Amino acid sequence: MSGRTGRGRTRRRLWRWRRNPLRRHEDIVEAWAILVMWVVIVVGGAVAGTVAARAAGQELAWQRADRQPVLAVLLTAAPAATPTENASYQAPAKIRWTGPDGTTRTGQALVSTDLPAGAAVTIWQDGRGHLAGEPPGPAEATAQAALFGTSVALAFGGLVYGSTALVRRRLDRRRHDLWAAEWDLVGPRWDQKTS
């Protein structure tokens, strides 16, 4: 009994591929559209996700290589933390540091609260001496690259699925129009009374 039920389900799912007097051209087009959609989602999504993950991984590796920690001096005292803020809260303060070319630079950076003017803090700068955020470590970079690649693959799959849904909607509209036209031909015959 269960074998017949499983086989019946398979037959119902694959009816568009078999010869059938009720099958229309739109049904064949829809079957091919669905097949192509899944192939493109699986293959294209894997390729897009892999390429995006590698590109993100290379960018993060470049950031780790380009950015360097440097000691800076606070020119103004860092604001005190309020009682509602947690201990890891940071506030903007004016700092001075030496760039890679030996020039003295000033700017604003986020530093720990309650630091007096003249205190030394560690900041990150890029190869040109501009302030930059701390780059992610290797494990964090791997996780970010994987997340980015997965997001791209899912977005690509959603785009392909949405495009196929639009195609299927147009096919449904065309089928409905054809059924309505055929009903206009057949419907009046059903209204005739038999004697």
Side-chain angles (χ1 to χ4, degrees):
M1 184 82 165
S2 63
R4 295 180 81 192
T5 305
R7 197 170 25 172
R9 285 185 191 152
T10 303
R11 283 185 182 165
R12 273 186 259 138
R13 286 185 194 142
L14 300 176
W15 72 270
R16 289 180 179 95
W17 294 102
R18 293 192 330 255
R19 292 198 181 276
N20 182 334
L22 299 177
R23 183 181 68 180
R24 298 174 184 265
H25 175 71
E26 289 76 14
D27 299 329
I28 297 169
V29 172
E30 182 179 28
W32 278 105
I34 291 170
L35 178 65
V36 168
M37 174 194 72
W38 283 113
V39 169
V40 170
I41 285 175
V42 171
V43 175
V47 169
T50 302
V51 168
R54 284 186 180 175
Q58 288 173 350
E59 174 64 24
L60 294 171
W62 178 82
Q63 286 180 8
R64 279 196 312 277
D66 183 54
R67 296 180 184 178
Q68 300 297 322
V70 65
L71 282 178
V73 177
L74 283 175
L75 298 178
T76 59
T82 62
T84 59
E85 296 165 345
N86 61 21
S88 65
Y89 179 75
Q90 293 185 321
K94 193 168 185 179
I95 59 169
R96 180 181 63 232
W97 75 99
T98 303
D101 58 359
T103 61
T104 301
R105 300 171 185 242
T106 59
Q108 276 205 333
L110 292 175
V111 297
S112 299
T113 56
D114 295 330
L115 292 175
V121 293
T122 302
I123 60 162
W124 288 82
Q125 67 178 348
D126 62 17
R128 296 180 312 259
H130 298 123
L131 289 175
E134 181 179 356
E140 187 181 351
T142 301
Q144 286 181 10
L147 181 62
F148 186 70
T150 302
S151 300
V152 168
L154 290 175
F156 179 81
L159 181 66
V160 172
Y161 184 84
S163 300
T164 306
L166 290 175
V167 169
R168 292 181 73 190
R169 185 173 178 184
R170 293 194 73 181
L171 289 170
D172 284 344
R173 193 175 302 150
R174 174 136 171 81
R175 269 192 290 253
H176 183 273
D177 292 344
L178 290 171
W179 287 332
E182 288 177 10
W183 183 252
D184 289 342
L185 295 173
V186 175
R189 291 186 207 164
W190 283 34
D191 290 339
Q192 295 175 358
K193 293 183 180 180
T194 58
S195 52

